[in-house]
Amino acid sequence: MSLSHAILGLLSVQPMTGYDLKNRAFDHSVTHFWQADQSQIYRTLGKMEETGWLTYELERQDDRPNRKVYHLTDSGRAELDRWLRTEQPLPANREPFLVQLFFGATLPNETLLALLDQQKAAHEAQLALFAEIPMPPIDDPQIERMRTLRRLTLQLGVTIEKSYLTWLAECTAVVATLPHSPEE
């Protein structure tokens, strides 16, 4: 997946400025599984406009700089539809903590336990964030469909965090019983 497909998806819901994409849409929806900063979003918007996937209307403002409100073009809608129908590969995971744990045999048990506690706190915080995500109201069948799909996405995030917490508890129990490292 590319950032442009996430932007196409967000703009398919409603036209937005680059600022709105980042601060009102991205940060309150897909950021839990696809992150981007403001500069990435603006660079991608420029490329997408060049590709013909979107256009913008310039909204003039007297008290602030003018705003570009981006809209999908027919070509953009076609690209989103094409991408939505495309099989996706498994993601390549990069988890620095797992690299620490993998090579952590020289660390004292207390250090390993502290690292496990830090990870536990981080995953508990993420789980708490997921618990605060509001679901859209049920107004019509299309909203109910969107709500169901969003709930399924959120459910995976919750399941992953709970699995991490279970695994971290198991790791903590095992590390607590390991013989001390040679440096202890």
Side-chain angles (χ1 to χ4, degrees), residues 79-139:
E79 173 56 20
L80 177 61
D81 184 67
R82 182 206 64 77
W83 181 81
L84 288 171
R85 296 171 188 275
T86 303
E87 184 177 326
Q88 298 300 311
L90 289 175
N93 292 330
R94 293 183 179 181
E95 300 211 27
F97 173 70
L98 291 180
V99 177
Q100 283 179 305
L101 189 61
F102 188 85
F103 292 110
T106 60
L107 296 175
N109 288 358
E110 292 74 27
T111 302
L112 290 170
L113 291 170
L115 291 170
L116 288 163
D117 283 344
Q118 290 169 352
Q119 285 294 305
K120 179 180 179 237
H123 286 283
E124 287 173 338
Q126 186 63 48
L127 193 56
L129 277 176
F130 287 156
E132 295 176 7
I133 296 175
M135 285 290 132
I138 302 171
D139 294 325

Side-chain angles (χ1 to χ4, degrees), residues 135-150:
M135 285 290 132
I138 302 171
D139 294 325
D140 62 45
Q142 193 60 29
I143 295 291
E144 177 58 27
R145 179 180 173 80
M146 181 184 0
R147 180 180 176 181
T148 299
L149 295 174
R150 289 181 179 179

Side-chain angles (χ1 to χ4, degrees), residues 143-182:
I143 295 291
E144 177 58 27
R145 179 180 173 80
M146 181 184 0
R147 180 180 176 181
T148 299
L149 295 174
R150 289 181 179 179
R151 181 177 306 266
L152 290 170
T153 306
L154 177 59
Q155 182 181 348
L156 176 61
V158 169
T159 300
I160 289 169
E161 294 306 323
K162 287 180 177 179
S163 292
Y164 262 107
L165 290 169
T166 299
W167 175 77
L168 287 165
E170 292 170 5
C171 288
T172 299
V174 169
V175 169
T177 65
L178 287 177
H180 294 297
S181 72

Side-chain angles (χ1 to χ4, degrees), residues 53-79:
W53 291 349
L54 55 84
T55 187
Y56 69 86
E57 291 178 50
L58 192 63
E59 280 188 4
R60 301 202 182 279
Q61 300 185 110
D62 295 329
D63 57 341
R64 289 185 257 171
N66 294 336
R67 298 170 12 124
K68 289 182 179 179
V69 180
Y70 292 91
H71 302 262
L72 289 185
T73 62
D74 289 342
S75 175
R77 287 187 194 289
E79 173 56 20

